[in-house]
Amino acid sequence: MKAIVYMEYGEPGVLHQEEVEKPYPGGDEVLIRVHAVSVNYGDIIARNFKNISPGEFNMPGIFRILARLAFGLSRPRKKILGNTFAGEVEMAGNEVKQFKAGEQVFGYTGEQMGTYAEYICLKENGILALKPSNLTYEEASAVPYGSLMALGLFRKVKIQKGQSVLIIGAAGGIGSAAVQLARYYFGAEVTAVCSTQATDAVRRLGADKVIDYKKEDFTKNGESYDLIFDILGKGSFSQYRRSLKQNGIYLPVSFKTAKLFQMLWTSLMSKKKVVCALAVPKPADLIFIKEFIEEQNLKPVIDRCFPLEKTSDAHRYIETEGRKGSVVITMRNDVVQT
Ligand SMILES: NC(=O)c1ccc[n+]([C@@H]2O[C@H](COP(=O)([O-])OP(=O)(O)OC[C@H]3O[C@@H](n4cnc5c(N)ncnc54)[C@H](OP(=O)(O)O)[C@@H]3O)[C@@H](O)[C@H]2O)c1
């Protein structure tokens, strides 16, 4: 089968297409013919891991060390990147009960990666569910990572209907799912912060208000929010404090150790809190997301689709142009390249 492989860390050009052995499912696994994969933040970081400095890595130093060990110190150990996908079950192992050949599925492989390939094997109790029937494979591949992370994190802070939520980084993988979940599932009033090029895409996701961070500083507009959901964690509690309502929460999705101390301190001393948390994706969450997307007829916004052999261009595009929605690799020749 064809797969996009990398043998050394570096620029997008390290990704190249190779023929590799097609996997065969174990008894409790399904073999999935991958139709589409979305390119996520983790792919970009893992591709160039050796050259990502501790300062550029947005989580506590210990996470960086553990991830470097898992991904390989000097050379990549996981040769095939990609962690979300949508495709079709081609074969089910003899112990598999929940899935059968021919079913359309989508899912998330997490740190196991491996989805930049024509086929993957996944355990039936992995993060795998039937694909939302209202989405194409390309759209469905853009859903699992961001929505599993956003849902997991929102559940830590119990948003009430009608509350105001500010999402910083709203055009990215987690942010775009966060906009839809906050607005349509939790019934919040959503203000999205993104760059100029992404404002239309973020409006289409359902944001009530959109702030272009290149033109406006939301900390100076006099508005305040019940929750500030800061994807890259570039801001700080002291900077955002005045933009939080009484009892408001600042949730940096990416956080360094200092923010953990702020979480402890604010939990004891302040009505306004910092909450740092890790999302742990569960299969039941993906089933919930599938049903929710169908009920609400929600769709992710796709920025561009690239064919498998142009995966390095997809990485380059994200790194140089930024995102106006999801960037997807498609195995289907009939999908128009935009
Ligand atoms: N806590 C957890 O459990 C958890 C789980 C998974 C991931 N994470 C963390 O989440 C982060 C990745 O999130 P992601 O996958 O959504 O990343 P992403 O897809 O790269 O999106 C990040 C977005 O932030 C925007 N951005 C950059 N600078 C900004 C600024 N100053 N103001 C507003 N927006 C800005 C970018 O848009 P422009 O380029 O157009 O500015 C981009 O759309 C990583 O740091 C990762 O460690 C945390």
Side-chain angles (χ1 to χ4, degrees), residues 9 40-72 111 113 145 231-234 252-260 278:
Y9 292 121
N40 293 320
Y41 175 88
D43 301 328
I44 307 279
I45 293 292
R47 192 206 70 228
N48 200 13
F49 223 149
K50 199 172 151 192
N51 304 315
I52 302 290
S53 67
E56 285 170 294
F57 193 78
N58 291 336
M59 299 297 269
I62 184 70
F63 288 31
R64 179 171 174 274
I65 294 168
L66 294 174
R68 287 279 323 259
L69 288 172
F71 278 89
E111 286 192 4
M113 308 302 273
Y145 159 73
I231 311 295
L232 294 182
K234 288 189 176 181
V253 174
S254 310
F255 52 87
K256 296 282 202 180
T257 311
K259 286 200 169 101
L260 293 172
L278 291 177

Side-chain angles (χ1 to χ4, degrees), residues 86 93 118 125 164 244 275 306 331:
E118 287 183 303
N125 61 4
S164 52
L244 283 172
V275 173
F306 290 82
M331 318 286 170

